[in-house]
């Protein structure tokens, strides 16, 4: 029997308890929720009210609890509690992307020192497995590019904009009702949530901590329906993309609305779905697709981490406390679709850096410019 403690009984924490209750009997591994910690009195929502506590020290002192699931969110108390659990040698699973991007390197280091595992599959792509397949690939291959749609809210907004006449505000309200959006929806709309997830993937790919604030980020708020018509004319659609590549000069990264050719698989990742494409030196492109958020998919991803922890063959995730520098955005290179102001004209630039493009367009009255995701 594996005893776990769940910290935080919101959507993710309660989703996990419900999943264990509904499916636990069919699993080879027997999982028991020994404690649920929350500052609110959630005892009436629990199957066994005696599992409810506000005292985290009880959990730290209980050697029967080997796995702590952090479902509080944010970094304030989550960081302290996770750190204490890892220092005690308890394994920790979390879906908390803020915690991983801010303290990932330190927490992984502590976990490695105490032979604990710090796992965060659910922090990127919700129910879509990305971290584990990527980590396994890394054991034998080199990751040279990561691209994808890692924010369900903005994907839902842009997908709906491209196929209906609903207003931006109505679509945002729709998505908020579905519980995908962050408390502050600007985190989604501004591209920051996706940038955090890209930072996690690139930290894993490079073995060093990346600061998500170094990633060039643009929101979807300037995208209009006319932009979709314009993009469609040239065979593209607009997706809220994260895109990072690694070459001999360093790491390049962006989180922004970007044109994707309509024949590309990422163009068909619609509504709140997520997808990640990982390009490796030897295998080429791998693609992972699935539910990017939601109570049950996220709980299932956490459960998968719990199973991995219990498997003797699983190695802990790792990256160092060294900071990986992202190259200046002026050196980011891609093709662009340029709409020329005042003339019924548009063209696609060569594959060149932002700086070179600016030079090329010096004498062109640019009405709007879109970056194109190019792939091979
Ligand atoms: N706000 C996030 C999204 C939730 O829309 O994808 C999942 O991380």
């Amino acid at each position: 029997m594996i005893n776990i403690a769940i910290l935080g009984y919101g959507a993710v924490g309660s989703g996990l308890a419900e999943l264990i209750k509904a499916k636990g009997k069919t699993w080879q591994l027997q999982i028991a929720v020994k404690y649920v910690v929350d500052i609110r009195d959630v005892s009436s929502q629990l199957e066994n009210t005696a599992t409810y506590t506000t005292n985290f020290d009880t959990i730290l002192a209980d050697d029967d609890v080997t796995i702590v699931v952090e479902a509080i969110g944010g970094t304030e108390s989550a960081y302290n509690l996770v750190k204490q659990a890892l220092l005690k040698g308890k394994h920790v699973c979390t879906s908390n992307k803020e915690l991983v991007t801010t303290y990932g390197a330190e927490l992984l280091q502590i976990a490695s020192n105490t032979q604990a595992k710090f796992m965060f599959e659910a922090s990127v792509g919700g129910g879509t497995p990305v971290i584990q397949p990527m980590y396994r690939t890394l054991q034998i291959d080199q990751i040279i590019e990561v691209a994808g749609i890692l924010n369900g809210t903005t994907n839902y907004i842009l997908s709906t904009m491209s196929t209906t006449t609903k207003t931006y505000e109505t679509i945002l309200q729709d998505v908020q009702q579905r519980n995908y959006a962050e408390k502050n929806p600007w985190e989604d709309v501004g591209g920051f949530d996706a940038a955090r997830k890209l930072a996690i993937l690139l930290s894993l790919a490079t073995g060093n901590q990346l600061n998500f604030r170094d990633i060039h980020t643009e929101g979807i708020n300037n995208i209009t329906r006319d932009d979709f018509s314009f993009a469609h004319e040239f065979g593209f659609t607009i997706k809220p993309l994260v895109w990072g590549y690694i070459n001999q000069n360093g790491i390049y990264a962006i989180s922004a609305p970007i044109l994707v050719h309509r024949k590309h698989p990422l163009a068909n990742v619609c509504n709140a779905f997520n997808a990640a494409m990982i390009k490796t030196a030897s295998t080429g492109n791998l693609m992972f697709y699935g539910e990017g958020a939601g109570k049950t998919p996220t709980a299932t991803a956490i459960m998968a981490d719990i199973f991995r922890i219990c498997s003797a063959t699983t190695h802990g995730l790792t990256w160092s406390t060294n900071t990986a520098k992202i190259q200046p955005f002026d050196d980011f290179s891609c093709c662009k679709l340029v709409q020329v102001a005042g003339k019924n004209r548009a063209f696609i630039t060569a594959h060149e850096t932002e700086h070179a493009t600016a030079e090329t367009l010096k004498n062109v009255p640019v009405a709007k410019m879109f970056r194109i995701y190019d792939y091979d």
Side-chain angles (χ1 to χ4, degrees):
M1 173 72 75
I2 307 294
N3 288 299
I4 69 166
I6 300 177
L7 313 184
Y9 207 68
V12 175
S14 63
L16 182 65
E18 285 160 20
L19 182 70
I20 294 169
K21 187 176 169 207
K23 299 269 165 66
K25 288 199 177 68
T26 64
W27 296 336
Q28 284 185 346
L29 208 60
Q30 292 306 295
I31 310 285
V33 179
K34 189 158 183 191
Y35 300 102
V36 171
V37 184
D38 201 300
I39 45 171
R40 302 160 301 159
D41 183 354
V42 293
S43 52
S44 63
Q45 299 171 43
L46 305 179
E47 195 184 7
N48 174 1
T49 54
T51 56
Y52 173 68
T53 177
T54 51
N55 188 358
F56 185 61
D57 289 339
T58 315
I59 293 160
L60 286 180
D62 188 338
D63 289 339
D64 284 347
V65 175
T66 47
I67 301 176
V68 171
V69 175
E70 185 277 308
I72 302 167
T75 49
E76 234 166 85
S77 51
Y79 166 65
N80 274 325
L81 301 183
V82 166
K83 189 170 169 175
Q84 287 183 64
L86 291 172
L87 283 167
K88 266 277 184 181
K90 295 184 191 298
H91 309 294
V92 174
C93 303
T94 185
S95 59
N96 187 337
K97 54 223 161 177
E98 216 181 324
L99 181 72
V100 180
T101 41
T102 315
Y103 298 107
E106 182 193 347
L107 296 172
L108 285 165
Q109 184 67 56
I110 296 172
S112 148
N113 292 345
T114 61
Q115 267 95 54
K117 288 176 187 121
F118 178 49
M119 308 288 274
F120 39 86
E121 179 63 65
S123 67
V124 178
T128 313
V130 183
I131 297 207
Q132 279 299 322
M134 204 174 139
Y135 191 63
R136 278 166 183 261
T137 301
L138 269 170
Q139 318 294 307
I140 43 169
D141 206 350
Q142 188 192 355
I143 288 168
I144 52 178
E145 189 172 316
V146 177
I149 296 165
L150 297 179
N151 183 270
T153 301
T154 47
N155 198 24
Y156 183 89
I157 294 173
L158 290 187
S159 302
T160 314
M161 267 177 86
S162 78
T163 51
T164 70
T165 52
K166 285 186 185 173
T167 64
Y168 177 85
E169 285 69 30
T170 314
I171 304 170
L172 182 61
Q173 276 166 14
D174 268 10
V175 80
Q176 280 175 317
Q177 273 163 12
R178 288 162 187 250
N179 285 330
Y180 293 133
E182 299 298 304
K183 269 190 206 122
N184 171 5
W186 180 239
E187 280 286 319
D188 300 294
V189 172
F192 305 103
D193 176 77
R196 278 201 172 88
K197 293 164 181 166
L198 178 62
I200 294 174
L201 297 185
L202 289 174
S203 297
L204 205 58
T206 59
N208 292 313
Q209 176 87 36
L210 250 88
N211 185 347
F212 88 94
R213 290 184 200 285
D214 294 343
I215 296 176
H216 178 85
T217 302
E218 292 172 17
I220 60 157
N221 47 316
N222 290 324
I223 300 295
T224 64
R225 279 212 166 73
D226 286 348
D227 294 338
F228 279 101
S229 314
F230 178 63
H232 287 176
E233 259 182 65
F234 291 84
F236 298 103
T237 189
I238 308 170
K239 286 289 172 192
L241 223 65
V242 291
W243 183 9
Y245 58 88
I246 304 162
N247 63 25
Q248 68 279 8
N249 299 321
I251 308 161
Y252 301 81
I254 184 171
S255 165
I258 291 180
L259 300 190
V260 178
H261 199 277
R262 289 170 84 180
K263 286 191 178 149
H264 190 273
L266 284 175
N268 297 308
V269 176
C270 295
N271 302 322
F273 278 91
N274 277 201
M277 290 204 72
I278 312 290
K279 187 172 182 181
T280 75
S282 309
T283 316
N285 280 315
L286 301 165
M287 183 163 165
F288 306 97
Y289 169 86
E291 296 275 1
K295 194 168 172 165
T296 314
T298 307
T300 308
I302 292 177
M303 203 57 230
D305 269 348
I306 294 177
F307 272 55
R308 283 182 199 107
I309 285 171
C310 297
S311 149
T313 55
T314 301
H315 298 287
L317 301 167
T318 177
W319 67 63
S320 85
T321 47
N322 298 332
T323 307
K325 204 170 133 282
I326 297 181
Q327 294 304 308
F329 188 63
D330 261 2
D331 297 336
F332 187 93
S333 174
C334 67
C335 301
K336 280 120 193 156
L337 176 61
V338 182
Q339 199 171 28
V340 183
K343 297 177 187 172
N344 194 9
R345 198 157 73 85
F347 61 91
I348 293 178
T349 67
H351 199 293
E352 52 193 9
T353 64
E354 293 286 310
H355 178 73
T357 309
E359 282 294 309
T360 310
L361 300 177
K362 215 160 35 198
N363 300 315
V364 179
V366 175
K368 210 155 181 179
M369 194 185 70
F370 300 88
R371 294 186 190 85
I372 300 173
Y373 169 60
D374 34 273
Y375 57 92
D376 46 37

